[in-house]
């Protein structure tokens, strides 16, 4: 099986294309390349029951994001305002950047 490399990086804006948060857009907080999973702001929020500890004496319910598989999201292009596929392109100075396959806009800031 050929593994497609994750073309998503931290701070990217992505759109969820599958699962309970389908259609939502969020910012990537963390990328786990080994597990092919991403943590996306306000996406796949789960409630965790926490026991009282030194930080939180009461314990209770904490809401936090759970990682989702990267194939469930697509990179957003700021120009197309829609999820797009990206491709790598070398700039004049040799730096590799990701560009939108549709409009050619550079996605990397
Ligand atoms: Zn585009």
């Amino acid at each position: 099986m050929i593994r497609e490399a994750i073309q998503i990086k931290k701070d990217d804006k992505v759109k969820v294309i599958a699962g309970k948060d389908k259609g939502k857009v969020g910012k990537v907080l963390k990328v786990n390349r080994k597990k092919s999973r991403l943590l996306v702001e306000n996406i796949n929020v789960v409630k965790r029951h926490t026991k009282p500890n030194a930080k939180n004496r009461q314990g209770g319910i904490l809401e936090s994001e759970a990682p989702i598989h990267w194939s469930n999201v697509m990179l957003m292009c700021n120009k197309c305002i829609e999820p797009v596929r990206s491709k790598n392109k070398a700039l004049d100075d040799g730096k590799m950047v990701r560009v939108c396959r549709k409009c050619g806009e550079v996605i990397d800031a």
Side-chain angles (χ1 to χ4, degrees):
M1 192 177 111
I2 299 166
R3 275 191 156 209
E4 207 180 334
I6 302 181
Q7 294 206 334
I8 291 167
K9 294 178 187 170
K10 190 173 172 273
D11 294 331
D12 277 350
K13 212 202 270 173
V14 293
K15 187 167 191 173
V16 182
I17 52 166
K20 65 167 182 157
D21 289 317
K22 191 175 168 182
K24 283 192 191 171
V25 175
K27 196 177 89 173
V28 177
L29 301 173
K30 218 173 176 182
V31 178
N32 186 333
R33 287 182 192 280
K34 270 188 189 160
K35 289 186 177 166
S36 302
R37 286 183 175 269
L38 312 165
L39 208 60
V40 187
E41 197 175 38
N42 294 323
I43 303 296
N44 202 22
V45 174
V46 292
K47 287 188 172 121
R48 289 178 207 274
H49 293 268
T50 53
K51 285 178 184 165
N53 56 32
K55 228 175 167 184
N56 182 351
R57 284 177 188 282
Q58 299 244 297
I61 297 165
L62 203 79
E63 289 196 344
S64 67
E65 291 94 352
I68 57 170
H69 196 263
W70 80 279
S71 65
N72 289 344
V73 304
M74 275 184 87
L75 198 59
M76 287 282 288
C77 170
N78 285 327
K79 208 172 173 187
C80 298
I81 327 270
E82 63 176 292
V84 293
R85 292 206 167 270
S86 66
K87 63 178 179 184
N88 291 320
K89 190 185 156 191
L91 294 179
D92 291 341
D93 62 3
K95 196 182 155 206
M96 290 297 283
V97 291
R98 291 166 304 164
V99 296
C100 169
R101 264 184 215 236
K102 226 175 200 175
C103 69
E105 179 85 352
V106 175
I107 293 168
D108 284 296

